[in-house]
Amino acid sequence: MPGPVENFHELIQPPQWLIDHPALKTRNIDLSEHVGPLKLGCAFYTAHLDCPNYAIKITEPNSEEADIYDKLMSHPMGPPNHTLPCNVIRSDTEKPILIMPFLRDLMSVGQWQWSLGTLLRQFSQILEGVEFLHNAHVAHLDIAVSNLIFAYNQEVAARHEGIKFDKIYIIDFGESRQLDFGPEQQPPIDLPPSQIPKPNGITRLDPYSWDMYCVGRVFRSLAKFTFENRGDSVPRMLTRYISWVIGDEEENRCISVCRCRPTARRAREALAVYQTMVVDRAQLISVTGCSSPS
């Protein structure tokens, strides 16, 4: 019987059938070496220095992930679609696999170098992508910083067809659901496991509202990391905006459509007003040399 070490080794290494998969061979993707785990037992990435790197994922049983990728990629891949380009490979003998570019998540690129305007632009991208999902009646249900990735320089973007420099992509639809109704119409569902903890032990909620709660928590983490790591405080107006997106954490027990926080569309529209104010203030400072409170 295999011991704990052998079992762990099996979890961090791709199975042989995946290494030998014809779809990987035809794309010259080698999982026999220079490979690491993204999710134990089912997701792996290549780690080569001078060639494109890929993430390969074995979809989970009963997951809608492969079908959701098919649905999202049937739309044009420009804005507002922030789905990472992905090849869905199906076979008669194995679970579907996903082949995607391997990019970095938002916590690995030095946000302390971002200006307020840059941070708000990234927030706008995230909201645009989430609004697109919700309009397609897809709830992600596990929005987190690690599931938001991008090509941090032109060289990385150029290695993969269809990847745009500085565009944020949403990944990991393993817990996602296709729904019958859109935002402000969808009743609560049972929430799956998620990286962001659920407040007050909730287990059921409007799925679109849950996504927006997670978006707000992501915004809070990114803002804190961006400003505090360089010794600054988060601007007061930004703090208030993020709190509005997160909503009332004590009132997440809605038994019907949840209105404890804004929809992705409303949050994006409010953010656009804030972005305009930031630009106007920056222009005022450049002309007068005087700043005003944030």
Side-chain angles (χ1 to χ4, degrees):
M1 178 180 295
V5 174
E6 290 81 1
N7 288 336
F8 181 74
H9 181 76
E10 290 180 1
L11 289 175
I12 65 173
Q13 295 295 323
Q16 192 61 47
W17 70 263
L18 184 61
I19 295 174
D20 296 335
H21 200 292
L24 301 188
K25 298 291 187 182
T26 58
R27 292 168 173 80
N28 295 317
I29 300 174
D30 183 6
L31 292 184
S32 63
E33 59 181 3
H34 304 298
V35 63
L38 285 171
K39 187 175 182 180
L40 292 180
C42 69
F44 309 91
Y45 69 94
T46 61
H48 302 287
L49 294 177
D50 300 318
C51 61
N53 285 307
Y54 293 90
I56 296 89
K57 183 176 184 180
I58 306 167
T59 57
E60 300 280 1
N62 303 317
S63 167
E64 298 181 40
E65 187 163 23
D67 291 338
I68 287 173
Y69 268 112
D70 284 340
K71 179 178 185 176
L72 298 177
M73 291 191 301
S74 69
H75 296 266
M77 294 303 288
N81 192 346
H82 287 258
T83 308
L84 182 69
C86 172
N87 292 119
V88 180
I89 309 298
R90 292 178 170 85
S91 73
D92 295 331
T93 57
E94 301 291 352
K95 290 175 285 189
I97 67 170
L98 311 175
I99 304 174
M100 303 164 281
F102 177 61
L103 306 176
R104 290 188 180 183
D105 69 49
L106 294 186
M107 278 298 196
S108 61
V109 294
Q111 292 92 330
W112 56 86
Q113 300 174 2
W114 288 356
S115 65
L116 174 59
T118 299
L119 181 65
L120 297 184
R121 187 169 67 250
Q122 309 298 30
F123 284 6
S124 182
Q125 285 200 67
I126 294 168
L127 287 169
E128 182 180 62
V130 173
E131 182 183 0
F132 173 81
L133 296 181
H134 291 181
N135 287 342
H137 292 192
V138 172
H140 188 281
L141 302 177
D142 192 23
I143 292 173
V145 172
S146 62
N147 286 334
L148 300 166
I149 63 175
F150 77 149
Y152 59 94
N153 63 37
Q154 295 279 8
E155 180 182 356
V156 171
R159 290 179 178 177
H160 294 282
E161 183 178 356
I163 294 298
K164 305 298 183 184
F165 167 62
D166 205 32
K167 178 178 179 177
I168 293 175
Y169 296 94
I170 301 172
I171 62 169
D172 195 355
F173 293 90
E175 301 290 353
S176 302
R177 289 274 304 276
Q178 300 181 79
L179 302 163
D180 293 330
F181 303 100
E184 301 185 291
Q185 296 179 320
Q186 174 66 41
I189 66 169
D190 292 331
L191 298 178
S194 57
Q195 296 179 60
I196 290 179
K198 298 174 178 64
N200 300 320
I202 63 167
T203 59
R204 287 180 61 82
L205 193 69
D206 173 341
Y208 301 117
S209 181
W210 171 247
D211 271 358
M212 288 306 298
Y213 174 81
C214 294
V215 166
R217 290 287 301 271
V218 166
F219 285 179
R220 178 184 285 172
S221 295
L222 291 174
K224 183 176 181 180
F225 192 80
T226 298
F227 288 97
E228 294 186 2
N229 275 15
R230 62 186 185 218
D232 296 333
S233 58
V234 179
R236 290 191 299 273
M237 187 174 292
L238 180 57
T239 298
R240 289 194 292 268
Y241 172 79
I242 292 171
S243 295
W244 174 65
V245 174
I246 291 173
D248 190 339
E249 298 186 71
E250 300 300 320
E251 296 294 334
N252 276 311
R253 302 183 184 276
C254 302
I255 60 174
S256 61
V257 173
C258 180
R259 305 190 189 281
C260 297
R261 54 196 54 85
T263 62
R265 178 180 179 179
R266 189 178 176 201
R268 180 181 55 79
E269 290 172 345
L271 181 66
V273 174
Y274 184 24
Q275 287 178 287
T276 300
M277 294 171 61
V278 169
V279 171
D280 290 345
R281 177 172 176 264
Q283 291 174 344
L284 177 65
I285 292 172
S286 68
V287 171
T288 66
C290 299
S291 61
S292 57
S294 59

